[in-house]
Amino acid sequence: QVQLVESGGGLVQPGGSLRLSCAASGSIISTNVMGWYRQAPGKERELVASITSGGSTNYAGSVKGRFTISRDNAKSTVYLRMNSLNPEDTAVYYCNLKKYAVDYWGKGTLVTVSS
């Protein structure tokens, strides 16, 4: 089994920044894809960004240039740096790990962008 624990969410003003962290533990293999998804009220869960164990990244168009995903393989941790946040970024952010085509999810952390 794989456990994912997110941290770093909270309330931030428009234009502000936050950094989310997700620590993975359990039966983790060296080759995997980790990422962040988000789900806003009344909307479907969507991919925000992902990163392979080799460092290749993929971003949703709405966050490209504002968000940066990174990972520390030694710590089995993935980060999401979010800059220039706007109210449309308000959502529950979920950490995801893909291993052998199986998805594992964290419980989510709430990000609220509001003045």
Side-chain angles (χ1 to χ4, degrees), residues 31-108:
T31 303
N32 57 58
V33 179
M34 297 188 73
W36 292 93
Y37 289 68
R38 67 185 181 187
Q39 187 166 18
K43 295 188 176 181
E44 293 188 354
R45 191 173 298 189
E46 63 176 0
L47 173 68
V48 176
S50 64
I51 184 167
T52 69
S53 51
S56 296
T57 58
N58 181 44
Y59 293 94
S62 60
V63 307
K64 203 171 288 186
R66 298 189 298 124
F67 291 10
T68 302
I69 190 169
S70 60
R71 63 188 287 169
D72 184 334
N73 289 332
K75 296 181 179 180
S76 298
T77 299
V78 65
Y79 306 96
L80 185 68
R81 177 68 179 181
M82 305 184 292
N83 295 328
S84 302
L85 285 160
N86 58 62
E88 290 70 38
D89 296 314
T90 294
V92 177
Y93 284 70
Y94 295 92
C95 180
N96 172 269
L97 185 149
K98 298 184 188 298
K99 186 184 81 168
Y100 297 138
V102 175
D103 283 302
Y104 297 89
W105 297 94
K107 293 183 178 181

Side-chain angles (χ1 to χ4, degrees), residues 6-28:
E6 303 107 332
S7 60
L11 174 65
V12 62
Q13 292 187 341
S17 299
L18 278 177
R19 190 180 82 153
L20 305 181
S21 300
C22 172
S25 61
S27 181
I28 304 168

